[in-house]
Structures are given as C-alpha cells and as structure tokens.
Short mmCIF file of all heavy atoms in Angstrom, two decimals:
data_model
loop_
_atom_site.label_atom_id
_atom_site.label_comp_id
_atom_site.label_asym_id
_atom_site.label_seq_id
_atom_site.Cartn_x
_atom_site.Cartn_y
_atom_site.Cartn_z
N SER A 1 -24.35 -87.93 47.22
CA SER A 1 -23.24 -87.47 46.39
C SER A 1 -23.05 -88.47 45.27
O SER A 1 -22.77 -88.05 44.12
CB SER A 1 -21.93 -87.29 47.18
OG SER A 1 -21.54 -88.42 47.78
N SER A 2 -23.23 -89.79 45.50
CA SER A 2 -23.11 -90.78 44.48
C SER A 2 -24.21 -90.64 43.50
O SER A 2 -24.03 -90.80 42.25
CB SER A 2 -23.15 -92.20 45.13
OG SER A 2 -21.99 -92.40 45.91
N LYS A 3 -25.41 -90.34 43.91
CA LYS A 3 -26.58 -90.12 43.03
C LYS A 3 -26.22 -88.94 42.10
O LYS A 3 -26.55 -88.96 40.97
CB LYS A 3 -27.83 -89.88 43.82
CG LYS A 3 -28.43 -91.07 44.54
CD LYS A 3 -29.71 -90.68 45.29
CE LYS A 3 -30.28 -91.90 46.01
NZ LYS A 3 -31.47 -91.49 46.81
N LYS A 4 -25.70 -87.94 42.75
CA LYS A 4 -25.37 -86.72 41.96
C LYS A 4 -24.31 -87.03 40.88
O LYS A 4 -24.35 -86.56 39.70
CB LYS A 4 -24.79 -85.65 42.82
CG LYS A 4 -24.62 -84.33 42.12
CD LYS A 4 -24.17 -83.17 43.01
CE LYS A 4 -24.02 -81.86 42.35
NZ LYS A 4 -23.08 -82.00 41.14
N GLN A 5 -23.32 -87.89 41.22
CA GLN A 5 -22.30 -88.34 40.30
C GLN A 5 -22.94 -89.04 39.10
O GLN A 5 -22.54 -88.82 37.97
CB GLN A 5 -21.26 -89.20 40.96
CG GLN A 5 -20.16 -88.52 41.72
CD GLN A 5 -19.11 -89.48 42.20
OE1 GLN A 5 -19.44 -90.54 42.74
NE2 GLN A 5 -17.90 -89.13 41.95
N ILE A 6 -23.91 -89.87 39.42
CA ILE A 6 -24.55 -90.66 38.26
C ILE A 6 -25.42 -89.64 37.45
O ILE A 6 -25.38 -89.78 36.19
CB ILE A 6 -25.48 -91.75 38.84
CG1 ILE A 6 -24.65 -92.79 39.56
CG2 ILE A 6 -26.31 -92.31 37.78
CD1 ILE A 6 -25.44 -93.88 40.27
N ALA A 7 -26.08 -88.70 38.13
CA ALA A 7 -26.81 -87.66 37.34
C ALA A 7 -25.94 -86.87 36.48
O ALA A 7 -26.26 -86.55 35.30
CB ALA A 7 -27.58 -86.80 38.33
N ASP A 8 -24.73 -86.49 37.01
CA ASP A 8 -23.77 -85.79 36.16
C ASP A 8 -23.28 -86.58 35.03
O ASP A 8 -23.09 -86.08 33.87
CB ASP A 8 -22.59 -85.37 37.05
CG ASP A 8 -22.97 -84.28 38.09
OD1 ASP A 8 -23.99 -83.67 37.91
OD2 ASP A 8 -22.17 -84.09 39.08
N LYS A 9 -23.12 -87.89 35.20
CA LYS A 9 -22.70 -88.79 34.13
C LYS A 9 -23.77 -88.86 33.07
O LYS A 9 -23.45 -88.85 31.83
CB LYS A 9 -22.30 -90.16 34.66
CG LYS A 9 -21.76 -91.13 33.65
CD LYS A 9 -20.45 -90.58 33.09
CE LYS A 9 -19.88 -91.51 32.01
NZ LYS A 9 -18.58 -90.99 31.48
N LEU A 10 -25.03 -88.94 33.49
CA LEU A 10 -26.10 -89.01 32.51
C LEU A 10 -26.10 -87.71 31.69
O LEU A 10 -26.48 -87.78 30.44
CB LEU A 10 -27.46 -89.16 33.23
CG LEU A 10 -27.75 -90.53 33.90
CD1 LEU A 10 -29.00 -90.50 34.69
CD2 LEU A 10 -27.79 -91.61 32.83
N GLU A 11 -25.71 -86.59 32.32
CA GLU A 11 -25.71 -85.32 31.58
C GLU A 11 -24.62 -85.36 30.54
O GLU A 11 -24.88 -84.93 29.37
CB GLU A 11 -25.44 -84.19 32.63
CG GLU A 11 -25.72 -82.80 32.04
CD GLU A 11 -27.10 -82.49 31.90
OE1 GLU A 11 -27.96 -82.97 32.65
OE2 GLU A 11 -27.41 -81.71 30.91
N THR A 12 -23.44 -85.79 30.90
CA THR A 12 -22.30 -85.86 29.98
C THR A 12 -22.48 -86.86 28.84
O THR A 12 -21.90 -86.74 27.81
CB THR A 12 -20.94 -86.15 30.65
OG1 THR A 12 -21.04 -87.35 31.34
CG2 THR A 12 -20.67 -85.07 31.77
N LEU A 13 -23.30 -87.87 29.08
CA LEU A 13 -23.54 -88.92 28.07
C LEU A 13 -24.45 -88.33 26.93
O LEU A 13 -24.42 -88.92 25.81
CB LEU A 13 -24.25 -90.10 28.65
CG LEU A 13 -23.40 -91.07 29.49
CD1 LEU A 13 -24.18 -92.11 30.19
CD2 LEU A 13 -22.30 -91.79 28.58
N GLU A 14 -25.15 -87.24 27.21
CA GLU A 14 -25.93 -86.57 26.18
C GLU A 14 -26.82 -87.64 25.42
O GLU A 14 -26.71 -87.71 24.20
CB GLU A 14 -25.04 -85.82 25.18
CG GLU A 14 -24.27 -84.65 25.87
CD GLU A 14 -23.56 -83.81 24.85
OE1 GLU A 14 -22.93 -84.42 23.97
OE2 GLU A 14 -23.58 -82.60 24.97
N ILE A 15 -27.69 -88.30 26.16
CA ILE A 15 -28.47 -89.38 25.60
C ILE A 15 -29.38 -88.89 24.48
O ILE A 15 -29.55 -89.57 23.48
CB ILE A 15 -29.28 -90.08 26.80
CG1 ILE A 15 -28.28 -90.77 27.72
CG2 ILE A 15 -30.28 -91.08 26.21
CD1 ILE A 15 -28.96 -91.24 28.99
N ASP A 16 -29.91 -87.70 24.68
CA ASP A 16 -30.83 -87.17 23.62
C ASP A 16 -30.16 -86.91 22.30
O ASP A 16 -30.86 -86.81 21.25
CB ASP A 16 -31.52 -85.89 24.15
CG ASP A 16 -30.54 -84.82 24.51
OD1 ASP A 16 -29.55 -85.13 25.24
OD2 ASP A 16 -30.71 -83.67 24.07
N ARG A 17 -28.82 -86.86 22.35
CA ARG A 17 -28.06 -86.60 21.06
C ARG A 17 -27.51 -87.89 20.45
O ARG A 17 -26.86 -87.81 19.41
CB ARG A 17 -27.00 -85.62 21.31
CG ARG A 17 -27.44 -84.31 21.67
CD ARG A 17 -26.29 -83.24 21.76
NE ARG A 17 -26.75 -81.88 22.11
CZ ARG A 17 -26.00 -80.80 22.12
NH1 ARG A 17 -24.72 -80.93 21.84
NH2 ARG A 17 -26.50 -79.64 22.44
N LEU A 18 -27.74 -89.06 21.05
CA LEU A 18 -27.26 -90.28 20.55
C LEU A 18 -27.88 -90.57 19.19
O LEU A 18 -29.12 -90.58 19.06
CB LEU A 18 -27.57 -91.45 21.49
CG LEU A 18 -26.77 -91.38 22.88
CD1 LEU A 18 -27.18 -92.51 23.73
CD2 LEU A 18 -25.22 -91.40 22.64
N ASN A 19 -27.03 -90.88 18.20
CA ASN A 19 -27.55 -91.04 16.82
C ASN A 19 -27.74 -92.48 16.38
O ASN A 19 -27.19 -92.97 15.48
CB ASN A 19 -26.50 -90.34 15.88
CG ASN A 19 -27.06 -90.09 14.46
OD1 ASN A 19 -28.28 -90.03 14.32
ND2 ASN A 19 -26.22 -90.09 13.46
N PHE A 20 -28.55 -93.14 17.21
CA PHE A 20 -28.92 -94.53 16.86
C PHE A 20 -30.30 -94.59 16.17
O PHE A 20 -31.16 -93.76 16.48
CB PHE A 20 -28.99 -95.44 18.19
CG PHE A 20 -27.64 -95.60 18.79
CD1 PHE A 20 -27.35 -94.89 19.99
CD2 PHE A 20 -26.71 -96.42 18.25
CE1 PHE A 20 -26.06 -95.07 20.65
CE2 PHE A 20 -25.45 -96.63 18.88
CZ PHE A 20 -25.13 -95.91 20.04
N LYS A 21 -30.43 -95.51 15.25
CA LYS A 21 -31.66 -95.63 14.48
C LYS A 21 -32.83 -96.08 15.30
O LYS A 21 -33.95 -95.82 15.01
CB LYS A 21 -31.46 -96.51 13.20
CG LYS A 21 -30.57 -95.88 12.18
CD LYS A 21 -30.40 -96.75 10.93
CE LYS A 21 -29.55 -96.15 9.93
NZ LYS A 21 -29.37 -96.96 8.68
N SER A 22 -32.56 -96.88 16.32
CA SER A 22 -33.57 -97.41 17.18
C SER A 22 -33.12 -97.37 18.67
O SER A 22 -31.93 -97.21 18.92
CB SER A 22 -33.89 -98.87 16.80
OG SER A 22 -32.94 -99.76 17.29
N ILE A 23 -34.10 -97.61 19.54
CA ILE A 23 -33.79 -97.61 20.94
C ILE A 23 -32.92 -98.71 21.37
O ILE A 23 -32.31 -98.69 22.41
CB ILE A 23 -35.10 -97.48 21.75
CG1 ILE A 23 -34.84 -96.99 23.18
CG2 ILE A 23 -35.80 -98.87 21.76
CD1 ILE A 23 -36.02 -96.61 24.00
N VAL A 24 -32.89 -99.78 20.57
CA VAL A 24 -31.97 -100.88 20.92
C VAL A 24 -30.49 -100.45 20.93
O VAL A 24 -29.76 -100.89 21.85
CB VAL A 24 -32.11 -102.06 19.81
CG1 VAL A 24 -31.18 -103.15 20.10
CG2 VAL A 24 -33.56 -102.59 19.83
N GLY A 25 -30.10 -99.59 20.05
CA GLY A 25 -28.75 -99.09 20.04
C GLY A 25 -28.45 -98.29 21.26
O GLY A 25 -27.41 -98.36 21.83
N VAL A 26 -29.50 -97.52 21.74
CA VAL A 26 -29.29 -96.69 22.94
C VAL A 26 -29.07 -97.62 24.20
O VAL A 26 -28.21 -97.42 25.02
CB VAL A 26 -30.57 -95.80 23.13
CG1 VAL A 26 -30.45 -94.96 24.49
CG2 VAL A 26 -30.68 -94.80 22.04
N ALA A 27 -29.90 -98.67 24.22
CA ALA A 27 -29.85 -99.57 25.36
C ALA A 27 -28.49 -100.29 25.35
O ALA A 27 -27.88 -100.43 26.45
CB ALA A 27 -30.92 -100.66 25.23
N THR A 28 -27.98 -100.65 24.22
CA THR A 28 -26.68 -101.32 24.13
C THR A 28 -25.57 -100.47 24.52
O THR A 28 -24.65 -100.84 25.29
CB THR A 28 -26.45 -101.90 22.74
OG1 THR A 28 -27.49 -102.75 22.29
CG2 THR A 28 -25.14 -102.62 22.64
N HIS A 29 -25.67 -99.14 24.15
CA HIS A 29 -24.70 -98.17 24.44
C HIS A 29 -24.64 -97.90 26.00
O HIS A 29 -23.54 -97.72 26.53
CB HIS A 29 -25.00 -96.86 23.69
CG HIS A 29 -24.03 -95.75 23.98
ND1 HIS A 29 -22.71 -95.65 23.55
CD2 HIS A 29 -24.18 -94.61 24.72
CE1 HIS A 29 -22.12 -94.60 23.95
NE2 HIS A 29 -23.00 -93.93 24.68
N LEU A 30 -25.78 -97.92 26.61
CA LEU A 30 -25.85 -97.49 28.01
C LEU A 30 -25.63 -98.67 29.01
O LEU A 30 -25.39 -98.47 30.17
CB LEU A 30 -27.20 -96.84 28.33
CG LEU A 30 -27.48 -95.51 27.65
CD1 LEU A 30 -28.96 -95.04 28.03
CD2 LEU A 30 -26.47 -94.45 27.98
N GLU A 31 -25.75 -99.89 28.42
CA GLU A 31 -25.74 -101.02 29.43
C GLU A 31 -24.54 -101.10 30.25
O GLU A 31 -24.69 -101.40 31.50
CB GLU A 31 -25.97 -102.34 28.57
CG GLU A 31 -25.94 -103.56 29.56
CD GLU A 31 -26.63 -104.79 28.94
OE1 GLU A 31 -27.54 -104.59 28.11
OE2 GLU A 31 -26.23 -105.91 29.27
N PRO A 32 -23.29 -100.93 29.78
CA PRO A 32 -22.15 -101.03 30.68
C PRO A 32 -22.22 -100.05 31.88
O PRO A 32 -21.82 -100.41 32.99
CB PRO A 32 -20.90 -100.70 29.83
CG PRO A 32 -21.40 -100.97 28.42
CD PRO A 32 -22.85 -100.66 28.44
N TYR A 33 -22.72 -98.89 31.70
CA TYR A 33 -22.84 -97.89 32.74
C TYR A 33 -23.92 -98.33 33.78
O TYR A 33 -23.65 -98.40 34.97
CB TYR A 33 -23.25 -96.49 32.22
CG TYR A 33 -22.25 -95.92 31.24
CD1 TYR A 33 -22.51 -96.01 29.85
CD2 TYR A 33 -21.07 -95.36 31.64
CE1 TYR A 33 -21.57 -95.51 28.91
CE2 TYR A 33 -20.18 -94.82 30.71
CZ TYR A 33 -20.49 -94.86 29.38
OH TYR A 33 -19.55 -94.33 28.46
N ILE A 34 -25.07 -98.76 33.25
CA ILE A 34 -26.16 -99.11 34.07
C ILE A 34 -25.81 -100.35 34.90
O ILE A 34 -26.07 -100.43 36.15
CB ILE A 34 -27.49 -99.25 33.27
CG1 ILE A 34 -27.84 -98.02 32.54
CG2 ILE A 34 -28.67 -99.75 34.19
CD1 ILE A 34 -28.95 -98.21 31.45
N ARG A 35 -25.14 -101.25 34.24
CA ARG A 35 -24.82 -102.55 34.91
C ARG A 35 -23.91 -102.24 36.06
O ARG A 35 -24.02 -102.74 37.16
CB ARG A 35 -24.17 -103.55 33.98
CG ARG A 35 -23.86 -104.87 34.60
CD ARG A 35 -22.91 -105.77 33.81
NE ARG A 35 -23.49 -106.01 32.45
CZ ARG A 35 -22.94 -105.60 31.35
NH1 ARG A 35 -21.80 -104.97 31.35
NH2 ARG A 35 -23.48 -105.91 30.17
N GLY A 36 -22.90 -101.31 35.82
CA GLY A 36 -21.98 -101.05 36.88
C GLY A 36 -22.66 -100.33 38.02
O GLY A 36 -22.33 -100.64 39.23
N TRP A 37 -23.57 -99.39 37.82
CA TRP A 37 -24.31 -98.71 38.89
C TRP A 37 -25.08 -99.71 39.74
O TRP A 37 -25.07 -99.64 40.96
CB TRP A 37 -25.16 -97.64 38.35
CG TRP A 37 -24.47 -96.51 37.61
CD1 TRP A 37 -23.18 -96.07 37.88
CD2 TRP A 37 -24.91 -95.76 36.54
NE1 TRP A 37 -22.82 -95.10 37.02
CE2 TRP A 37 -23.87 -94.89 36.18
CE3 TRP A 37 -26.06 -95.69 35.80
CZ2 TRP A 37 -23.96 -93.94 35.15
CZ3 TRP A 37 -26.16 -94.76 34.71
CH2 TRP A 37 -25.10 -93.87 34.41
N ILE A 38 -25.81 -100.61 39.08
CA ILE A 38 -26.66 -101.51 39.79
C ILE A 38 -25.84 -102.54 40.53
O ILE A 38 -26.08 -102.84 41.74
CB ILE A 38 -27.65 -102.29 38.78
CG1 ILE A 38 -28.75 -101.22 38.34
CG2 ILE A 38 -28.33 -103.47 39.52
CD1 ILE A 38 -29.72 -101.78 37.39
N ASN A 39 -24.78 -103.03 39.93
CA ASN A 39 -23.93 -104.04 40.59
C ASN A 39 -23.27 -103.51 41.82
O ASN A 39 -23.05 -104.18 42.81
CB ASN A 39 -22.94 -104.57 39.65
CG ASN A 39 -23.52 -105.52 38.57
OD1 ASN A 39 -24.72 -105.92 38.71
ND2 ASN A 39 -22.75 -105.88 37.58
N TYR A 40 -22.87 -102.16 41.79
CA TYR A 40 -22.15 -101.64 42.91
C TYR A 40 -23.16 -101.02 43.91
O TYR A 40 -23.18 -101.41 45.10
CB TYR A 40 -21.13 -100.60 42.51
CG TYR A 40 -20.36 -100.07 43.71
CD1 TYR A 40 -19.37 -100.87 44.28
CD2 TYR A 40 -20.59 -98.83 44.30
CE1 TYR A 40 -18.68 -100.51 45.38
CE2 TYR A 40 -19.92 -98.45 45.45
CZ TYR A 40 -18.98 -99.29 45.97
OH TYR A 40 -18.26 -98.92 47.11
N TYR A 41 -24.04 -100.09 43.48
CA TYR A 41 -24.86 -99.40 44.44
C TYR A 41 -26.13 -100.15 44.70
O TYR A 41 -26.89 -99.76 45.66
CB TYR A 41 -25.24 -98.01 43.82
CG TYR A 41 -24.07 -97.11 43.73
CD1 TYR A 41 -23.54 -96.71 42.50
CD2 TYR A 41 -23.41 -96.62 44.83
CE1 TYR A 41 -22.44 -95.88 42.37
CE2 TYR A 41 -22.26 -95.78 44.77
CZ TYR A 41 -21.82 -95.37 43.49
OH TYR A 41 -20.75 -94.58 43.40
N GLY A 42 -26.45 -101.19 43.99
CA GLY A 42 -27.67 -101.90 44.29
C GLY A 42 -27.49 -103.04 45.21
O GLY A 42 -28.45 -103.83 45.48
N ARG A 43 -26.35 -103.20 45.83
CA ARG A 43 -26.05 -104.34 46.79
C ARG A 43 -26.96 -104.13 48.06
O ARG A 43 -27.45 -105.03 48.60
CB ARG A 43 -24.56 -104.33 47.16
CG ARG A 43 -24.20 -105.31 48.27
CD ARG A 43 -24.48 -106.75 47.88
NE ARG A 43 -23.70 -107.20 46.77
CZ ARG A 43 -22.51 -107.88 46.89
NH1 ARG A 43 -22.06 -108.10 48.10
NH2 ARG A 43 -21.83 -108.23 45.86
N TYR A 44 -27.03 -102.85 48.50
CA TYR A 44 -27.83 -102.57 49.70
C TYR A 44 -28.89 -101.54 49.38
O TYR A 44 -28.67 -100.55 48.80
CB TYR A 44 -26.95 -102.01 50.83
CG TYR A 44 -25.82 -102.97 51.22
CD1 TYR A 44 -24.54 -102.68 50.92
CD2 TYR A 44 -26.11 -104.21 51.86
CE1 TYR A 44 -23.48 -103.53 51.15
CE2 TYR A 44 -25.06 -105.06 52.18
CZ TYR A 44 -23.75 -104.75 51.86
OH TYR A 44 -22.79 -105.62 52.19
N ARG A 45 -30.18 -101.87 49.76
CA ARG A 45 -31.35 -101.01 49.51
C ARG A 45 -31.32 -100.50 48.05
O ARG A 45 -31.27 -99.28 47.78
CB ARG A 45 -31.31 -99.84 50.50
CG ARG A 45 -31.52 -100.28 51.93
CD ARG A 45 -31.49 -99.13 52.90
NE ARG A 45 -31.77 -99.60 54.28
CZ ARG A 45 -32.92 -99.55 54.91
NH1 ARG A 45 -33.96 -98.98 54.29
NH2 ARG A 45 -33.06 -99.99 56.12
N PRO A 46 -31.46 -101.42 47.11
CA PRO A 46 -31.43 -101.00 45.67
C PRO A 46 -32.58 -100.07 45.32
O PRO A 46 -32.44 -99.34 44.28
CB PRO A 46 -31.55 -102.35 44.96
CG PRO A 46 -32.14 -103.36 45.93
CD PRO A 46 -31.63 -102.86 47.29
#
C-alpha cells in the first residue's frame, strides 16, 4: 500500500509535464520527495 501511495504521488506530480529546460531542474524539483521516501522506507530492506 505504501508503494501504491508513492506511485499515486508520481502520477499527481505529472513529471512528463514539468517545464524545466534541463533534467537538472527536474532532479531538483523531485529531490525532497525522493529523499523522504528513501529516508523513511529505505531503513529496512531498501
């Protein structure tokens, strides 16, 4: 269910529609989300 929650969040983030000139902007935009997922769900069996 947590994996599904993350998948749903990726859907709502609409990454393919992000209007950054380079992939660096995409990475910066997504980092807070990804860091949170790894820091919490990556503690056991990452």
Side-chain angles (χ1 to χ4, degrees):
S1 59
S2 296
K3 288 180 184 178
K4 186 179 183 304
Q5 276 188 314
I6 295 176
D8 291 343
K9 185 62 181 179
L10 289 175
E11 193 73 32
T12 59
L13 284 171
E14 296 185 318
I15 294 169
D16 57 313
R17 296 188 179 185
L18 293 177
N19 193 27
F20 294 104
K21 291 183 178 180
S22 78
I23 198 167
V24 175
V26 178
T28 303
H29 178 73
L30 295 178
E31 181 158 330
Y33 301 101
I34 301 169
R35 186 193 301 117
W37 296 330
I38 289 178
N39 288 350
Y40 186 73
Y41 294 112
R43 174 62 65 95
Y44 302 108
R45 294 181 179 257

